[in-house]
Amino acid sequence: MKDLRTGPPGELHEPGLALHVEDLTVSYHGRPVLWDIDLDVPPGVMAAIVGPNGAGKSTLIKSVLELVPATAGHVRLFGKPYAAQRRRIAYVPQRTSVDWDFPTTALDVVMMGRYGHLGWVRRPGAADRDRALGALEEVGIADLAGRQISQLSGGQQQRVFLARALVQDADLYFLDEPMAGVDATTERAIVRLLKGLRDRGKTVIVVHHDLQTVREYFDWIVILNVRVIAQGPVHEAYTADHLRQAYGGQISLLRGIDEGAVPVAGEAEAPAR
Amino acid sequence: MNLIDFLSDYTLQNVAMGAAILGVVSGVLGSFAVLRRQSLVGDALSHAALPGICLGFLVVGARELGAILTGALATGGLAALTILALTRLSRLKTDAAIGISLSVFFALGVVLLTVIQGRGGASQAGLETFLFGQAAAILRGDLWIMGAITLAALAAVMIFWKEFKLVTFDPVFAQTIGLPVTLLEIALTVMVALAVVVGLQMVGVVLMAAMVIAPAVAARQWTRRLEHMVILAALIGMASGITGALISATARGLATGPLIVLAASAIVVVSILFAPERGVLWEALARVRERRALRGRQVLDTLLQLTRTHADPSYPAEQGMLDTYHGHETRAALERLAARGFVNPARHMPGEGDHWVLTREGLAEAERLDAEISGANR
């Protein structure tokens, strides 16, 4: 896929943006999953990608990470294609994407996050091990380092994946539904950690499914439904109108948002969780 | 024949050594195949080796092992590619694609086999022994070939250990950090094909898949780390190989290959039944323990609710009433609770049935469990 507008390879294109997506179209069996996406995420924000089921949220991340081929368009991360920026980017896939019955320990999975920095053949050493233990500490499950991964709860599995991303020492983090199916304590811990990354100048981009918590957790929003419906700072772009455009008839989902759409943060009618 | 003679028998040494080599290589490579849910690809690969064996023979015109194994590897690899193409390009699911490739290649092999046999002549040399293997026909020279293939495969696994492990556990993540995932997966499949080739003379195309699957499945039951699983699978494969070889040597005429497979299968059965944590027996016992613990917890909770309803922490609950709540196992549950010091039997009034009273510890435990349930839902 060659795009003349981006100039010769190696030249920086939109280096001031953590993520720059232009004219991206992805189709699956001839059906467009993402259509003509133009998207910019500045560095140092914590961004949510929201949208109804089938909106292409996961596909957008996978396409940015070159896991899914694009039909058209291009992606730049800090000004360069993904292949040139791998070491600056960490990815937390959906928890259910792997078989947790694999014979290994939590610590070992976290160490896999170091593999990209190690390169071929070289084995992780004591420094990598310390780094992994530190990451497990950060996600609050240092005591489970030696635990067989099949014996971890859903929330603990998610924390292990998060720790694996932490040891990648990235500048940009992509997370695919990290809060799906985890307990409230884990969700709070994950959010605190991600906000911590953001506060250290990292960029965090999260596929998120819970509209009720967007205002509380995020400062940047991308509302997606095959096309980009809206993007920008949460206080500007996260409006009931945009959500209605994205979610169409699923209005019941939006009830809490309507009240929250007034500039006050949506605490007024926090639904029972 | 005494033991020394028996063990120094030249043929037996060859067979036992060949079986051991086969066990090691198939155990190691089978571990990856099983964890990648590719067990049946091993089956397809081995069946698909048959036409290659025949083609190798036809090209060279003699029963020359190098040519035959090369042919086997080629058609095995072709079958693996066919499976890949069918699942990627058509709407066939993996199981159907494997089934189709396996039977088409095997049928082709059987046809070629009958063509060769029909031509007659001394050189046709019993290719049908590759169906179920003929261990006794193994020569010292064959062992060198098997050993070299095995060493190469083991070296590759050791050198690229980290890469193979990551691709097996989380191929998507492996791709994001820049590993050539497809290439590594092809390498793993090719190595399984190599293991199959190593086992052709010994076990034959029909049963070879068992050698790829069985040691790995058995080893998985006993281990919690990939390193240990791979090593144990190699040992189990080796032990099965030697056991099969020895049994077949003591009773002349029993086929070695099937005996090796049976030995491996016996280890699988034992492992599936008795391994700690993952074994059927272990899990059944754990279920019984959990059910009992839950029953005790329910009874404790009922007693707590009764003390609350009656505003009397030492309210004596009648056995019969508890039975109507929880069924006839209540007495056993109460006795287990009594043994832990949580309840005491009490006689309420003469002539009435047994009653039970919460002890102070029992009350505290019941309150704790009650709070835990409320907390989990918050």
Side-chain angles (χ1 to χ4, degrees):
Chain A
M1 172 180 57
K2 187 159 168 57
D3 194 316
L4 294 173
R5 280 164 300 172
T6 61
E11 188 179 294
L12 290 178
H13 174 64
E14 298 287 2
L17 294 168
L19 172 64
H20 168 70
V21 177
E22 203 170 311
D23 298 339
L24 181 75
T25 292
V26 176
S27 55
Y28 189 67
H29 287 317
R31 192 174 57 87
V33 184
L34 293 172
W35 188 257
D36 205 13
I37 303 284
D38 287 317
L39 189 66
D40 291 324
V41 177
V45 301
M46 182 156 156
I49 302 175
V50 300
N53 286 335
K57 305 184 292 285
S58 294
T59 308
L60 176 59
I61 289 190
K62 287 185 177 152
S63 169
V64 167
L65 300 176
E66 296 178 4
L67 295 167
V68 174
T71 318
H74 68 259
V75 173
R76 291 294 179 273
L77 301 143
F78 301 108
K80 291 185 193 165
Y82 178 67
Q85 298 282 38
R86 283 184 206 288
R87 292 194 179 190
R88 298 181 66 188
I89 290 147
Y91 170 52
V92 178
Q94 289 188 16
R95 181 163 51 85
T96 47
S97 66
V98 302
D99 178 6
W100 289 92
D101 197 32
F102 191 85
T104 192
T105 59
L107 179 66
D108 203 39
V109 172
V110 177
M111 293 235 271
M112 291 176 186
R114 298 300 303 162
Y115 287 9
H117 292 267
L118 287 169
W120 284 89
V121 179
R122 230 174 83 205
R123 300 287 167 92
D128 300 302
R129 195 186 150 83
D130 290 347
R131 184 76 189 79
L133 282 169
L136 280 170
E137 187 91 53
E138 274 185 80
V139 300
I141 51 169
D143 52 322
L144 301 180
R147 182 75 61 89
Q148 173 82 4
I149 58 170
S150 59
Q151 290 167 0
L152 299 173
S153 72
Q156 292 164 346
Q157 291 173 352
Q158 193 66 60
R159 288 169 191 240
V160 167
F161 260 11
L162 203 57
R164 182 176 69 174
L166 289 179
V167 304
Q168 289 185 271
D169 287 330
D171 295 318
L172 172 55
Y173 292 80
F174 288 99
L175 299 94
D176 199 347
E177 303 235 9
M179 268 79 103
V182 304
D183 53 291
T185 322
T186 301
E187 176 158 340
R188 277 194 299 273
I190 292 174
V191 170
R192 197 167 51 236
L193 202 92
L194 296 180
K195 284 184 171 174
L197 288 172
R198 191 246 343 249
D199 295 343
R200 296 206 300 269
K202 314 285 189 183
T203 311
V204 180
I205 299 179
V206 180
V207 169
H208 194 58
H209 64 286
D210 182 7
L211 295 177
Q212 314 294 350
T213 49
V214 166
R215 281 170 191 282
E216 189 186 334
Y217 295 168
F218 298 96
D219 48 23
W220 196 270
I221 184 87
V222 177
I223 301 174
L224 192 73
N225 190 358
V226 185
R227 303 163 197 265
V228 172
I229 306 293
Q231 57 177 319
V234 168
H235 62 85
E236 284 174 16
Y238 193 61
T239 64
D241 194 38
H242 287 148
L243 286 173
R244 205 167 287 117
Q245 279 181 52
Y247 286 82
Q250 296 163 270
I251 289 298
S252 64
L253 275 172
L254 310 176
R255 214 173 42 80
I257 310 299
D258 260 327
E259 286 97 56
V262 283
V264 190
E267 295 292 328
E269 199 192 271
R273 292 175 41 73
Chain B
M1 186 163 76
N2 68 35
L3 191 65
I4 303 294
D5 289 341
F6 177 70
L7 289 179
S8 56
D9 178 78
Y10 184 75
T11 310
L12 175 63
Q13 278 180 356
N14 275 353
V15 171
M17 232 155 28
I21 291 173
L22 165 66
V24 169
V25 70
S26 56
V28 170
L29 299 176
S31 294
F32 289 96
V34 165
L35 288 175
R36 291 173 61 229
R37 302 171 186 270
Q38 299 265 298
S39 311
L40 289 176
V41 172
D43 202 16
L45 282 179
S46 62
H47 278 81
L50 189 59
I53 291 168
C54 298
L55 288 174
F57 174 84
L58 285 173
V59 168
V60 178
R63 197 178 190 281
E64 209 254 310
L65 195 63
I68 283 173
L69 295 191
T70 309
L73 195 59
T75 51
L78 196 62
L81 282 180
T82 311
I83 292 169
L84 200 68
L86 283 175
T87 46
R88 291 265 169 97
L89 304 178
S90 79
R91 286 174 177 250
L92 282 189
K93 300 281 179 280
T94 311
D95 59 338
I98 291 175
I100 287 174
S101 313
L102 184 153
S103 33
V104 167
F105 276 85
F106 189 62
L108 196 66
V110 173
V111 169
L112 283 174
L113 202 59
T114 49
V115 167
I116 292 170
Q117 283 169 335
R119 297 198 316 182
S123 66
Q124 61 140 341
L127 283 185
E128 73 281 353
T129 57
F130 281 103
L131 281 175
F132 295 105
Q134 192 184 34
I138 284 185
L139 309 171
R140 249 325 126 85
D142 301 344
L143 288 182
W144 284 110
I145 296 179
M146 291 169 69
I149 295 176
T150 300
L151 277 183
L154 292 186
V157 167
M158 280 204 280
I159 292 169
F160 299 111
W161 175 261
K162 162 171 129 275
E163 286 76 17
F164 284 142
K165 181 165 79 172
L166 185 54
V167 161
T168 306
F169 173 61
D170 193 346
V172 173
F173 183 80
Q175 201 175 334
T176 64
I177 65 167
L179 286 182
V181 171
T182 310
L183 206 66
L184 287 165
E185 286 181 335
I186 289 174
L188 282 171
T189 306
V190 167
M191 290 202 296
V192 170
L194 283 175
V196 166
V197 161
V198 167
L200 284 180
Q201 270 189 298
M202 187 73 65
V203 173
V205 297
V206 176
L207 289 174
M208 188 49 212
M211 283 312 288
V212 174
I213 302 169
V217 166
R220 174 69 189 99
Q221 289 293 105
W222 303 93
T223 52
R224 326 174 78 188
R225 303 203 52 147
L226 183 62
E227 292 85 330
H228 302 163
M229 174 178 168
V230 167
I231 293 168
L232 186 61
L235 292 177
I236 290 175
M238 190 164 78
S240 322
I242 295 175
T243 308
L246 290 180
I247 295 176
S248 116
T250 51
R252 291 275 170 201
L254 289 189
T256 313
L259 280 173
I260 294 174
V261 169
L262 284 178
S265 308
I267 299 176
V268 168
V269 170
V270 169
S271 305
I272 287 179
L273 285 180
F274 301 114
E277 287 179 31
R278 303 177 63 88
V280 171
L281 203 67
W282 182 281
E283 289 191 327
L285 285 175
R287 266 198 301 279
V288 169
R289 271 198 303 272
E290 275 164 24
R291 208 167 45 225
R292 282 187 175 178
L294 187 67
R295 166 83 52 180
R297 198 172 163 159
Q298 288 171 326
V299 172
L300 212 53
D301 190 54
T302 304
L303 289 171
L304 175 70
Q305 301 307 333
L306 285 170
T307 65
R308 283 179 179 171
T309 312
H310 295 269
D312 172 13
S314 57
Y315 175 79
E318 198 205 346
Q319 169 89 47
M321 180 170 57
L322 293 172
D323 282 345
T324 56
Y325 277 121
H326 297 297
H328 64 280
E329 282 175 46
T330 316
R331 172 164 283 276
L334 281 162
E335 276 162 5
R336 282 194 298 271
L337 287 172
R340 292 165 68 193
F342 290 155
V343 297
N344 275 330
R347 185 134 320 252
H348 187 47
M349 276 180 200
E352 282 192 6
D354 289 344
H355 284 62
W356 298 85
V357 181
L358 280 172
T359 62
R360 193 172 324 140
E361 295 77 23
L363 193 62
E365 175 73 1
E367 299 273 13
R368 191 184 66 76
L369 293 172
D370 186 53
E372 189 181 292
I373 289 176
S374 317
N377 215 14
R378 207 167 279 148

